[in-house]
Amino acid sequence: MPPRTRRGGQTKRAASNRTGRNAGSRKSNAVPARSVVTSDTNDSAEYSSSRPAKDGEQTNGGDKNDDDSGLTNKGIEAIAKKYWLNEHPDWSEATVTTILEKHIVGNGYSRTTLQTLERLQYFELYLLPNYKSDTPTDALLISILLMLNEKYIQGLSGAAWAFIAEQSSQGKCVGFAKLFDDVVAFSTRRIQSDSKEPSTLARSLVVQFLISCFSSLETPVVREACMPLTSLLLWHHIDDTKKAVDVMFGLTPQLQKLWKHMSKKCVAGKKTTQEEAARNQRDRDYLPLLIRDFLNGALGKKGSNVTLNYCIKFLEFLIDLDSQLPTRRYVNLLLVDYQVVSLCERSPWYQTKSTTKNKNKDKDNDNDNDKKEAFGTNTGHGVFTRLVDQLRDRVYFQVRDVTGEAVSEAEAKETHYRIVQELQLVAFREFADTLEPLALSSVAKISEDPSMLRTSLGSLDYDSLLRLAHIVGIRTKSIVELSAARGGGGADLIVDGRYTKPYIIDCFVQRYMRRATVAVQVRSISLYPTERDLLDRLVVEADQYSRLPYSVSYKDESGSECVNICYPTLPVPKLNLQFL
């Protein structure tokens, strides 16, 4: 994410100056924190502003006018001078709750409010030094996430990680690993306790925090805490057949020994304590839990704007994981097995060219409507569709996942021919009577003519299709809850815990279709920018990105209008470490 400049008369501070001030003579007198906000209640109800707003309208972040912002800033500055901008800071959990509920949530997650708190070093001088309890309250943890996410958006996350590492080495605060573990535990608890609405405040804050962490893998303390979530243990969630895992072991034999070694660490025994086994199980299960929770929201029959914006932000997180070689190594196979791209294409928010044309047939294509569609302030379908397309490109990118080696055009074609021929051999050996035309067809016809593959597989009964999918390693057991499995067209995706026949056939088409190689895609790009590139809507969006508000309106279960946090997303490719 490109760094943005601050606005409203606020000045930038260099990381070194910030660290120097934070490591100064100001010390906090910490007292045991007391629980102010319980963790059993719904966080979207606790920290959602009830200020009236039109349904579907992205609010202005509470900054109705300059006078209101000025009064809010003066109130925050008065609190800062009383509690932490003095020689003897006074810690109070009630103060954290007051700032969160009155000044942040009550002001609609205003950018001005968060930037003011960042300027007053709320995180460095008050939150972090007093974050020492074994069980932090939700108010304290949410406040820390809000401030860290604000630092990332302003391009100051590197200074924040360095400050945490320095202070923890001096024993003045907990380490980043402890903070990261608490965030993971907080997120897991929220997902497991409230699965109806997958776009609550906790989920939005956590996914933005994860994006900032996995974008800072060059920082040792961050890398050590994050990388276990993308380890080889993820492959335990691959389909029961484990055919895809066996293929990877064949390509990289040394992985099989590592697989057996790491699998033993998930079970308590002589060499693994109960605590270590529980931690390894958490690392193994957390990312699959997030993906399943995301798909439940993306495939929901009805979805609010806040649900859509959370799903958009989570797609950005998945793209980040699959765009970096260190995290892609074991994550990509999980995304392929979970069929994330295919399921997202069944979401009511995904727009094909035909649906977009029909929907906009009688609408004016003015700039305001384009901006709302692109940023999700109205429906967000455009951003969701772009990110799904980007994720598809990352998933099927020509690179060896484990080693990171580039795949040449000839190697890509050879691999494609091999997997199609394997399908033909299975069809001839197991279903000769029904799939003889498929077994005897050319690879080019199967790869380039989806109708041919659909017709051949459509002649199989449902049980035979399940058997064929089991042999070739295509998942048929659903990872999505039945109550949420409603596609954009309204057709059921699941029958008795398994995907329907049309969807399984589509998965076959996705796997065996021929995709354009990177060389072909590069040759199709114009050497100079075209008129369409210069006038593309993304150019306007990028200019307005840093001024977008953080809040979006939605209706809670009682039908009341509420405002929840919504971090904006710009659907453009990112260049991470391996491109430097």
Side-chain angles (χ1 to χ4, degrees):
M1 186 74 64
R4 266 77 62 184
T5 58
R6 301 190 194 178
R7 299 181 182 274
Q10 300 174 358
T11 60
K12 293 185 177 179
R13 297 188 302 278
S16 59
N17 293 337
R18 174 191 302 277
T19 305
R21 288 197 301 270
N22 292 340
S25 60
R26 295 172 180 168
K27 299 181 180 178
S28 61
N29 299 325
V31 298
R34 60 183 185 276
S35 176
V36 178
V37 182
T38 61
S39 60
D40 297 332
T41 55
N42 191 326
D43 59 303
S44 61
E46 293 169 358
Y47 302 119
S48 297
S49 173
S50 58
R51 179 172 57 84
K54 296 181 180 179
D55 186 27
E57 175 188 10
Q58 188 161 353
T59 65
N60 60 1
D63 294 332
K64 294 182 179 180
N65 50 57
D66 295 337
D67 294 337
D68 291 346
S69 299
L71 293 175
T72 302
N73 294 340
K74 291 180 180 179
I76 294 176
E77 291 176 357
I79 295 176
K81 292 178 181 179
K82 179 178 179 181
Y83 287 97
W84 69 84
L85 292 182
N86 53 61
E87 295 181 357
H88 302 286
D90 182 16
W91 167 252
S92 172
E93 183 74 29
T95 302
V96 176
T97 304
T98 299
I99 293 175
L100 177 62
E101 295 180 350
K102 180 180 179 181
H103 296 282
I104 298 179
V105 179
N107 203 26
Y109 303 98
S110 167
R111 276 196 167 189
T112 303
T113 301
L114 292 172
Q115 291 172 356
T116 300
L117 288 170
E118 201 281 324
R119 175 172 56 84
L120 296 172
Q121 297 181 294
Y122 180 48
F123 172 76
E124 293 89 343
L125 299 181
Y126 200 62
L127 295 178
L128 186 62
N130 296 286
Y131 187 77
K132 296 180 180 180
S133 68
D134 295 333
T135 55
T137 61
D138 287 358
L140 176 58
L141 194 57
I142 288 176
S143 298
I144 290 178
L145 289 177
L146 283 167
M147 298 313 300
L148 287 177
N149 291 343
E150 179 63 24
K151 288 178 179 297
Y152 170 73
I153 292 175
Q154 297 188 30
L156 301 174
S157 57
W161 309 140
F163 179 76
I164 294 175
E166 179 184 355
Q167 295 296 301
S168 61
S169 64
Q170 299 175 5
K172 297 181 180 180
C173 68
V174 299
F176 180 81
K178 171 66 168 60
L179 174 61
F180 190 83
D181 290 344
D182 290 341
V183 172
V184 171
F186 171 72
S187 172
T188 303
R189 184 174 72 250
R190 288 300 188 181
I191 293 176
Q192 293 176 345
S193 63
D194 178 25
S195 58
K196 294 181 180 179
E197 178 62 46
S199 56
T200 55
L201 172 65
R203 289 170 170 88
S204 300
L205 290 175
V206 169
V207 71
Q208 181 64 53
F209 173 74
L210 292 175
I211 290 174
S212 64
C213 290
F214 281 96
S215 298
S216 305
L217 294 181
E218 71 278 5
T219 305
V221 293
V222 178
R223 182 172 60 253
E224 292 174 1
C226 295
M227 289 306 294
L229 299 184
T230 61
S231 68
L232 184 61
L233 292 174
L234 290 176
W235 288 2
H236 280 275
H237 293 271
I238 302 298
D239 188 54
D240 296 337
T241 62
K242 292 291 186 295
K243 179 176 176 60
V245 176
D246 294 337
V247 171
M248 298 301 293
F249 288 162
L251 297 175
T252 314
Q254 60 268 28
L255 281 181
Q256 191 164 8
K257 183 177 180 180
L258 179 61
W259 167 270
K260 294 179 180 179
H261 175 71
M262 297 187 68
S263 298
K264 293 179 181 179
K265 291 187 176 182
C266 293
V267 181
K270 296 181 179 180
K271 298 183 179 180
T272 305
T273 64
Q274 190 69 32
E275 182 180 355
E276 292 174 346
R279 181 183 180 85
N280 292 330
Q281 292 174 7
R282 183 213 70 175
D283 295 340
R284 177 193 66 190
D285 300 336
Y286 182 62
L287 183 58
L289 175 67
L290 290 180
I291 295 176
R292 291 194 297 269
D293 181 66
F294 154 71
L295 291 175
N296 288 335
L299 294 173
K301 184 178 180 180
K302 294 181 180 179
S304 63
N305 289 333
V306 68
T307 306
L308 171 58
N309 281 279
Y310 162 72
C311 291
I312 287 174
K313 183 57 65 173
F314 193 85
L315 278 174
E316 180 185 352
F317 171 58
L318 290 181
I319 292 173
D320 286 353
L321 290 181
D322 225 32
S323 299
Q324 301 183 96
L325 297 179
T327 54
R328 175 191 176 90
R329 180 172 291 118
Y330 305 119
V331 171
N332 193 63
L333 188 63
L334 181 69
L335 297 181
V336 173
D337 179 74
Y338 272 17
Q339 303 160 359
V340 174
V341 174
S342 297
L343 289 174
C344 286
E345 290 175 349
R346 267 71 183 175
S347 171
W349 297 319
Y350 185 80
Q351 295 179 335
T352 61
K353 293 182 179 180
S354 58
T355 57
T356 305
K357 183 178 180 180
N358 293 334
K359 182 177 292 187
N360 297 331
K361 185 175 181 180
D362 299 326
K363 292 183 179 181
D364 295 331
N365 294 324
D366 54 18
N367 294 333
D368 292 338
N369 289 339
D370 289 345
K371 181 176 66 175
K372 288 183 178 181
E373 177 183 336
F375 280 118
T377 54
N378 187 10
T379 63
H381 295 184
V383 175
F384 186 87
T385 302
R386 292 187 196 178
L387 292 177
V388 171
D389 294 339
Q390 288 185 23
L391 180 61
R392 184 192 304 107
D393 294 338
R394 301 302 185 279
V395 168
Y396 297 105
F397 194 80
Q398 294 175 18
V399 64
R400 301 192 188 279
D401 295 338
V402 176
T403 62
E405 298 175 353
V407 178
S408 64
E409 188 172 2
E411 291 174 336
K413 291 181 179 179
E414 182 180 354
T415 302
H416 176 71
Y417 290 157
R418 176 176 54 80
I419 63 173
V420 174
Q421 289 171 358
E422 289 176 356
L423 173 65
Q424 291 180 300
L425 289 175
V426 173
F428 184 78
R429 183 176 62 248
E430 304 291 340
F431 308 94
D433 296 338
T434 309
L435 298 182
E436 182 178 358
L438 174 64
L440 299 179
S441 297
S442 64
V443 174
K445 186 174 183 180
I446 296 175
S447 305
E448 299 175 0
D449 186 8
S451 61
M452 187 271 173
L453 189 58
R454 294 181 188 276
T455 302
S456 299
L457 296 179
S459 61
L460 292 174
D461 58 83
Y462 185 64
D463 292 336
S464 299
L465 183 62
L466 291 179
R467 180 166 163 242
L468 177 61
H470 178 81
I471 294 175
V472 300
I474 291 180
R475 175 183 287 272
T476 59
K477 186 178 180 180
S478 172
I479 62 170
V480 184
E481 295 179 3
L482 182 62
S483 59
R486 304 290 296 182
D492 290 323
L493 288 175
I494 301 173
V495 175
D496 297 331
R498 294 193 177 275
Y499 293 120
T500 57
K501 182 177 180 179
Y503 175 76
I504 296 176
I505 293 177
D506 287 342
C507 290
F508 272 92
V509 174
Q510 286 286 336
R511 169 175 287 194
Y512 295 104
M513 68 181 295
R514 176 179 294 176
R515 303 181 185 278
T517 62
V518 176
V520 173
Q521 297 178 22
V522 171
R523 286 195 291 266
S524 64
I525 299 176
S526 175
L527 184 60
Y528 300 99
T530 62
E531 182 180 2
R532 175 177 295 182
D533 297 331
L534 296 175
L535 301 179
D536 189 84
R537 190 170 55 189
L538 276 175
V539 177
V540 180
E541 295 172 3
D543 180 65
Q544 300 174 348
Y545 176 80
S546 60
R547 297 190 294 273
L548 288 175
Y550 287 167
S551 54
V552 64
S553 65
Y554 72 102
K555 291 184 178 180
D556 59 12
E557 295 180 356
S558 63
S560 302
E561 300 286 350
C562 297
V563 177
N564 205 341
I565 195 163
C566 165
Y567 292 106
T569 299
L570 189 64
V572 295
K574 297 181 182 179
L575 297 180
N576 291 313
L577 290 177
Q578 64 270 22
F579 298 101
L580 294 179

